[in-house]
Amino acid sequence: MNSPIVGKAVPQVTALEKIQGRAIYTGDLKQPGMLHAKVLRGPYPHARIVRIDTSQAVALPGVKAVVTGADTPTRLWGVAHKQQRILATGKVRFAGEEVAAVAAISEDIARDALDLIEIEYEELPALLDPARALEAEAPQVHDGHDNRVKEIRIARGDVEAGFAAADLVHEATYELHSQYPGYMEPMATLASVDGNGRLTVWTSTQSVFLARARLAEALDRPVSSIRVIQAMVGGGFGGKIVEERSSLIAAFLATRVNRPVRLVNNRLEDFQSGCFSVPCRLWLKMGMTKDGTITAKDVRILANSGAYAGLAPEVMLVTAMRSDNMHRLENVRSAADLVYTNTMPRGAFRGFGGTQMAFALNSHLSVMADKLGLDPFEVHRRNAIRAGETSVHGWQFGSTGLRECLDQVQAGIGWEAKRRRPKDTGVRQRGLGMAAAMHVSGNRTLGNWDGSTVVLRVNEDGRAFIASGESDMGQGANTMMAQICADELGIPLSHVTVLPPDTDTSPFALGSLASRVTINGGKAVLQAAQQAKTQILDAASGLLGCPADDLEIDQGVVRSRTKSNATAALPQVCRYHVFRHGGEGILVRATYDPPTKMMDADHYGNIAPGYSFAAQAVEVEVDTETGQVTLLNSCLADDCGKAINPMAVHGQTNGAAVQAIGWALYEHLQFEDGRLANGNFADYTMPTADSVPHLQASIVESNEPNGPLGAKGASETAILPGAPAIANAIEDAIGVRITELPITPEKILAGLRAKREGGHA
Amino acid sequence: MVERYLAPTTLDEALKALAAGDATIVAGGTDVMPQSQAGRFKLGRTLVNIRRVAGLQGGAKEGDEIRLGALTTISQLREDAFIAKTLPVLAEAADHFASVQIRNMGTLGGNIGNASPAGDTLVPLLVLDAVVELRSAKGMRRLRLDEFFTGPGKTKRTPDELITNIFVPAPKPGFVARFAKFGTRPALDISAVSVGIAGIVKDGKISNVRVAYGAVAPTPVRGRAAEAALEGKTLDAATLAAAAKAAQGEVKPISDRRATAWYRREMIHNLVKKVLADVAHG
């Protein structure tokens, strides 16, 4: 069958309602009797809660409930570390931690009520610097526990022998900072308890089933007493997986007042309660032979989890070892420590720890290539892992498009010609840089399962409904599923409806994380559609008197390949099926659990059915009088296996490029006495259109054998190479190596001064 | 808490409302609203929206002066043909001012009244030698802009006074004024530093020099040392270097979230050179 829809750049199936302003986000939802919630946050990074008096707030007309930590269930919730209650009890562990919440008949009254809650705090010494966390006299973030969250030690091969065999050994320390997800839609939840006591929660989430599990844990009630429905999600970037706290507060309030309660973060509140990426200090030492072969890699990491663990241990594991798999390495060692501090909790963020190491690794490779007189593209090519190979940590590669990604961006930026041009000597100096990285498509962790299940129904009009618990957060999951289904069934895209994830009606799913939805969810859709097609053709066989294997579906019509007059429109066939099967319509279920292997205790396994790659080359111009860095060009190639929808892939690739520019150059969380000082978009400066050059995004289709129609994930990999490519281009332009993010104009000028004065930057 | 909202259409009504006391003036609201929402600023009992007050819009030549109405929006500064022709430095500053939405709402008088050390119109107005007209129910007075600011967010305006107009001398032949600001991000960023320079350039020499800096002191300030280094001099490389050095020496910035003191001094040095090069080119 030809493929008219898969591979076609069609607008997303959610695009029309969004551009008309008619998409329903959680903040748009209203219910009769609905109350509005507001949250009071602790002002100190570390303080004992001595006394709370809510009497005045309770007395304010219009206030229906005021709750504090003492009211919340005592059961602790958390990802692996069960350590949080819905509101802080005993002490606050970071400035901004939720201490009390109000439900009132209007948002204004709820906000006014917050001012009437009296809380007496006893300030405690705060641990703000992760480097101090493991000192004996450091304040304890969690009383009775030292501040170490997690310790990872991985060693394979013989690192010392690898260094001994190297012609060049280079070591450096990098500082990788924390990034706010910056989605357009701040967290929002509407929770309601019905007359039978069941709780329904509409929320902005990347995973309805993980949200339900977390609600059940935090509210200490049965999973089946909770229904979670995904409203339209305005971006997630990892921050809406399992770590956000506001949905728990909204749900808890709803159970206290038996009325619907809506909690919508404003931007400041979202900064205070959002999920930021894990910052770390990363020391890296690598050995290389003259021809560019990497002989050893040694890593030490000190990462900051903030006040709670969340997903940060998993994130740090990725930083510690994922990038080892993109090259043919034998001798690797990682020692990573994650510590608590009295700062906001950190965790999942697009790239899931990959950006941190991608910056260090690519900075390192660029420096080492320079010292050895090699081209960094050649260094990557020389070491690149290939399809059919198994990496040092046991990852098996069915497809790798790394070399093609390198080829495309090298040609696209005009690398050869531009590298040969004479260096600029004026005020503005141009430079070129590149970087490459890899990511997973799927990750076998939770329950030793990474599967996806789809229920597919074809109605009596021949149109299809897909029920899946995997979620669209703007990245295009629904469009991807609809395209695969439409193609397989031979029906127009508009005849496929993807239902919103709903824990009462959707099959169980892990949701949108680890770039797993296309490869696993897409495969489940493909298998379900194949089953449905078999049922349709069997029914048509009875209707038309032709053998089923003589039939095909094309443009919504079943036709015989041999008898030109034997045709039946799909509605006719589907109605026939209903009446010949006791009123049963076409309804199939398919599960795809990829053939992967969870990591063992030594972090060895083959966690993903496919691994995706990206490479980026950028040209920058540095103003040596102001230190301002301007991107002139960017070429970013993403190996997504097969682009089910090239338009959506381009959107992801370009968006990732911009988010990487923000992390590298502009975004910078700032604290004063442990308090976030720039929780708004005037002072937390994400890139605007003026900061973004013309972006070239290209697609590499390496055809993953495990993927649906060859596809892998395409949402995260592209964010990985941007920041190091920029840092490498800056060094090429002005001879200053920046190892600490973000790369501010001030660091550039300081680096230039150090260079002038004969020191080193 | 706000108890009364007034939207007077005449100046007299507006001044009467201010005379009654405990009033907050709102024009575009682009500073008042976010600052009061964030709890940094407490609204008075009466909110006086002066947006509809007649006669405080736009620019016009009046005798030897140019009058700029306090309610002129930043977008108008940027787009107005008269301002573009007579005071292009203001149009240039408006072009680098926040976002289009904020420019549409924000007013010149508001930017002055808000008295941010980084206010984008203030440095150009200082080098244009602007004078602020204040009116109250009791009368009118004029204050030189370089004596108007007393601290971050603080001015000599009394609570019953309204900034009604800004006057600048009509530019004489050879008059050139230039402005540059620098923040981390190319658009929509609050200045880490800004520099304005004006003077009369004739036969390669500059006279009647005025230099001003933003975001390096509690208020926007005049750069007297740089002015002295430039007055009457030929705009050659040596003069540029001397003026830049004088500027760097005279500012005493602080380190804050946007930049360190070291970087600000460095940037004042480099921006003065850059802006002077623009001035030299006319």
Side-chain angles (χ1 to χ4, degrees):
Chain A
M1 191 185 68
N2 59 352
S3 241
I5 301 171
V6 163
K8 199 170 160 191
V10 294
Q12 292 203 18
V13 294
T14 52
L16 188 64
E17 56 182 327
K18 283 180 180 170
I19 60 157
Q20 290 182 106
R22 294 176 67 187
I24 308 293
Y25 295 86
T26 307
D28 300 318
L29 296 171
K30 288 190 184 75
Q31 288 204 339
M34 184 178 84
L35 301 177
H36 301 263
K38 279 281 166 195
V39 176
L40 184 66
R41 294 164 204 284
Y44 304 109
H46 198 191
R48 198 165 306 290
I49 302 169
V50 177
R51 185 182 62 87
I52 305 186
D53 181 354
T54 61
S55 57
Q56 284 187 69
V58 171
L60 185 71
V63 170
K64 298 299 177 187
V66 181
V67 292
T68 69
D71 301 311
T72 60
T74 53
R75 185 172 167 188
L76 300 174
W77 70 273
V79 180
H81 295 67
K82 309 297 178 191
Q83 55 188 181
Q84 284 175 271
R85 282 168 70 173
I86 294 171
L87 295 166
T89 48
K91 65 178 192 174
V92 288
R93 295 184 174 86
F94 67 96
E97 182 161 13
E98 299 82 354
V99 176
V102 174
I105 56 172
S106 76
E107 217 173 320
D108 284 348
I109 293 173
R111 194 173 46 221
D112 288 346
L114 295 184
D115 294 340
L116 299 174
I117 299 172
E118 279 179 30
I119 305 185
E120 187 186 323
Y121 292 99
E122 177 199 339
E123 264 196 88
L124 299 170
L127 172 63
L128 301 175
D129 179 4
R132 284 195 49 222
L134 298 177
E135 291 172 4
E137 63 278 14
Q140 283 185 338
V141 176
H142 293 273
D143 298 345
H145 296 271
D146 74 12
N147 292 317
R148 191 191 305 272
V149 187
K150 173 101 177 170
E151 181 179 75
I152 295 170
R153 302 287 182 267
I154 301 172
R156 304 203 204 281
D158 186 337
V159 170
E160 299 311 332
F163 287 131
D167 294 310
L168 172 68
V169 173
H170 176 59
E171 59 177 277
T173 300
Y174 301 89
E175 289 283 349
L176 297 324
H177 69 142
S178 198
Q179 190 173 16
Y180 171 66
Y183 32 61
M184 280 199 277
E185 182 209 17
M187 259 315 292
T189 303
L190 169 61
S192 175
V193 175
D194 70 17
N196 298 316
R198 280 196 90 220
L199 171 68
T200 301
V201 177
W202 292 262
T203 190
S204 184
T205 182
Q206 295 177 225
S207 172
V208 287
F209 285 93
L210 298 185
R212 185 177 68 170
R214 196 160 50 100
L215 285 160
E217 187 171 74
L219 295 169
D220 198 13
R221 55 190 287 157
V223 161
S224 294
S225 72
I226 302 167
R227 177 183 189 185
V228 178
I229 301 171
Q230 190 207 35
M232 187 68 81
V233 175
F237 306 110
K240 296 174 180 175
I241 302 175
V242 290
E243 294 161 292
E244 62 79 28
R245 300 174 298 281
S246 68
S247 62
L248 304 178
I249 297 171
F252 176 63
L253 280 167
T255 65
R256 298 279 290 197
V257 293
N258 279 328
R259 283 172 69 167
V261 175
R262 196 178 72 189
L263 175 55
V264 180
N265 278 350
N266 66 27
R267 190 55 72 178
L268 173 62
E269 290 162 343
D270 206 78
F271 266 99
Q272 289 171 325
S273 67
C275 181
F276 295 76
S277 66
V278 178
C280 66
R281 173 173 298 165
L282 198 160
W283 173 88
L284 178 61
K285 181 178 173 185
M286 290 178 76
M288 193 180 276
T289 55
K290 274 185 289 202
D291 65 0
T293 305
I294 301 166
T295 58
K297 182 178 175 189
D298 197 8
V299 180
R300 287 205 292 269
I301 296 166
L302 179 68
N304 178 3
S305 185
Y308 295 100
L311 284 166
E314 308 300 319
V315 171
M316 185 178 70
L317 175 62
V318 169
T319 309
M321 55 89 79
R322 182 166 294 172
S323 73
D324 296 346
N325 299 285
M326 70 187 282
H327 293 136
R328 290 163 155 169
L329 304 185
E330 287 169 6
N331 308 310
V332 297
R333 185 164 62 194
S334 266
D337 293 290
L338 180 69
V339 297
Y340 293 116
T341 58
N342 290 118
T343 63
M344 76 256 284
R346 321 297 172 92
F349 186 98
R350 190 182 209 171
F352 207 79
T355 48
Q356 291 87 326
M357 180 48 105
F359 186 82
L361 174 66
N362 283 285
S363 296
H364 234 70
L365 291 180
S366 176
V367 169
M368 295 177 83
D370 269 3
K371 287 189 176 175
L372 291 172
L374 301 170
D375 186 300
F377 277 101
E378 289 313 317
V379 171
H380 273 286
R381 282 195 190 96
R382 171 163 294 277
N383 294 284
I385 201 142
R386 302 190 185 207
E389 293 180 348
T390 300
S391 74
V392 65
H393 298 303
W395 296 15
Q396 294 164 21
F397 291 82
S399 65
T400 80
L402 177 55
R403 295 168 68 89
E404 291 77 4
C405 288
L406 293 166
D407 292 348
Q408 288 195 2
V409 303
Q410 189 174 18
I413 202 88
W415 183 265
E416 298 295 339
K418 285 178 179 166
R419 289 279 275 197
R420 279 198 300 270
R421 73 190 170 198
K423 289 274 171 212
D424 293 330
T425 53
V427 170
R428 292 169 169 271
Q429 301 180 2
R430 291 167 299 171
L432 285 180
M434 63 78 61
M438 71 165 294
H439 194 67
V440 293
S441 301
N443 189 351
R444 194 174 200 87
T445 52
L446 206 63
N448 192 9
W449 191 69
D450 194 22
S452 189
T453 302
V454 159
V455 174
L456 175 64
R457 202 163 77 213
V458 185
N459 286 342
E460 56 271 31
D461 62 355
R463 299 186 182 210
F465 276 74
I466 294 170
S468 158
E470 313 294 4
S471 72
D472 198 320
M473 50 176 160
Q475 88 279 32
N478 286 4
T479 310
M480 174 274 298
M481 290 193 277
Q483 283 181 269
I484 290 175
C485 176
D487 241 18
E488 191 58 29
L489 290 181
I491 58 178
L493 187 62
S494 61
H495 288 191
V496 183
T497 300
V498 182
L499 300 168
D502 175 340
T503 55
D504 271 13
T505 59
S506 306
F508 183 87
L510 297 175
S512 288
L513 46 109
S515 292
R516 57 179 295 286
V517 173
T518 296
I519 197 160
N520 293 332
K523 189 81 169 245
V525 170
L526 182 64
Q527 291 179 352
Q530 284 164 347
Q531 289 178 38
K533 187 174 171 182
T534 301
Q535 290 192 11
I536 291 168
L537 295 184
D538 282 347
S541 166
L543 187 69
L544 295 171
C546 303
D549 59 10
D550 180 42
L551 298 173
E552 61 181 5
I553 314 174
D554 182 28
Q555 314 274 352
V557 176
V558 181
R559 60 176 87 246
S560 161
R561 289 192 179 92
T562 53
K563 284 193 280 179
S564 61
N565 60 343
T567 63
L570 263 188
Q572 191 190 351
V573 179
C574 293
R575 269 200 308 278
Y576 177 82
H577 185 279
V578 170
F579 297 128
R580 287 297 165 274
H581 291 80
E584 186 192 296
I586 289 166
L587 178 66
V588 298
R589 184 187 70 92
T591 292
Y592 173 70
D593 189 19
T596 48
K597 196 165 175 299
M598 219 166 123
M599 283 184 193
D600 62 18
D602 194 28
H603 307 288
Y604 194 89
N606 177 33
I607 59 171
Y611 300 95
S612 50
F613 297 84
Q616 189 170 1
V618 301
E619 182 177 17
V620 304
E621 184 176 79
V622 182
D623 184 320
T624 56
E625 287 183 345
T626 64
Q628 189 164 49
V629 176
T630 305
L631 259 79
L632 301 176
N633 284 297
S634 164
C635 288
L636 175 48
D638 188 296
D639 163 28
C640 60
K642 157 85 184 170
I644 304 289
N645 185 339
M647 191 190 287
V649 174
H650 277 303
Q652 288 297 316
T653 308
N654 288 338
V658 174
Q659 208 160 22
I661 292 170
W663 190 54
L665 298 179
Y666 304 120
E667 297 177 41
H668 188 196
L669 286 173
Q670 291 174 311
F671 297 90
E672 281 169 9
D673 304 324
R675 295 184 188 94
L676 180 63
N678 60 337
N680 62 70
F681 285 153
D683 297 311
Y684 182 83
T685 45
M686 290 172 70
T688 64
D690 279 4
S691 318
V692 179
H694 173 66
L695 299 172
Q696 293 181 63
S698 65
I699 291 168
V700 169
E701 299 194 320
S702 60
N703 195 20
E704 169 56 44
N706 283 330
L709 310 166
K712 302 187 270 194
S715 300
E716 296 187 80
T717 326
I719 197 175
L720 304 174
I726 291 169
N728 291 341
I730 289 168
E731 184 173 42
D732 184 48
I734 58 169
V736 172
R737 168 59 55 182
I738 306 282
T739 55
E740 185 184 325
L741 292 175
I743 305 170
T744 59
E746 176 156 356
K747 286 178 191 164
I748 298 274
L749 280 202
L752 284 168
R753 183 176 71 161
K755 197 177 121 190
R756 271 201 311 274
E757 291 171 0
H760 54 85
Chain B
M1 207 176 284
V2 177
E3 291 170 8
R4 250 166 33 120
Y5 170 79
L6 300 173
T9 53
T10 68
L11 190 55
D12 282 350
E13 285 168 8
L15 299 178
K16 203 181 290 172
L18 295 184
D22 201 9
T24 301
I25 303 166
V26 181
T30 54
D31 279 306
V32 167
M33 295 320 291
Q35 292 202 31
S36 62
Q37 295 263 343
R40 283 194 294 269
F41 172 82
K42 211 169 146 45
L43 295 173
R45 275 220 307 273
T46 310
L47 213 52
V48 183
N49 177 1
I50 57 165
R51 193 70 181 221
R52 296 174 205 175
V53 172
L56 302 181
Q57 295 268 355
K61 191 153 188 287
E62 293 184 359
D64 292 342
E65 291 181 320
I66 291 165
R67 183 184 66 78
L68 299 163
L71 286 179
T72 306
T73 65
I74 307 303
S75 288
Q76 281 171 319
L77 285 183
R78 187 170 164 270
E79 288 151 18
D80 186 278
F82 171 75
I83 291 167
K85 190 160 158 281
T86 52
L87 304 170
V89 68
L90 274 180
E92 197 180 332
D95 193 44
H96 293 96
F97 192 107
S99 65
V100 173
Q101 293 92 329
I102 289 173
R103 286 178 212 153
N104 285 343
M105 295 302 290
T107 63
L108 186 61
N111 201 228
I112 294 169
N114 188 49
S116 161
D120 278 335
T121 67
L122 308 183
V123 165
L125 286 172
L126 279 175
V127 302
L128 291 172
D129 210 15
V131 169
V132 182
E133 180 194 81
L134 296 157
R135 285 179 189 270
S136 71
K138 285 178 259 165
M140 186 272 276
R141 61 175 177 147
R142 280 181 162 209
L143 290 174
R144 293 179 51 79
L145 189 68
D146 56 14
E147 292 167 358
F148 181 64
F149 303 111
T150 56
K154 294 194 173 71
T155 68
K156 289 183 178 164
R157 184 183 74 83
T158 57
D160 64 335
E161 284 180 313
L162 184 65
I163 299 171
T164 43
N165 286 298
I166 294 88
F167 291 94
V168 302
K172 297 199 165 62
F175 180 82
V176 180
R178 284 299 171 97
F179 167 76
K181 79 175 224 184
F182 188 78
T184 298
R185 183 169 65 174
L188 250 178
D189 207 1
I190 297 165
S191 303
V193 289
S194 64
V195 168
I197 300 175
I200 292 174
V201 180
K202 205 176 161 198
D203 305 329
K205 284 189 166 53
I206 187 164
S207 59
N208 290 72
V209 185
R210 279 186 296 277
V211 176
Y213 315 120
V216 293
T219 68
V221 289
R222 285 281 289 275
R224 308 288 179 181
E227 289 173 4
L230 286 166
E231 188 62 43
K233 299 277 166 55
T234 304
L235 285 173
D236 55 18
T239 306
L240 265 59
K245 200 133 190 84
Q248 189 173 23
E250 72 178 318
V251 294
K252 291 178 185 60
I254 56 162
S255 293
D256 66 12
R257 288 205 304 279
R258 288 187 231 291
T260 63
W262 170 79
Y263 179 68
R264 285 197 160 106
R265 270 201 300 272
E266 198 79 0
M267 282 300 296
I268 286 292
H269 176 272
N270 294 347
L271 275 189
V272 162
K273 249 165 90 171
K274 204 172 243 216
V275 175
L276 270 177
D278 286 349
V279 169
H281 287 116

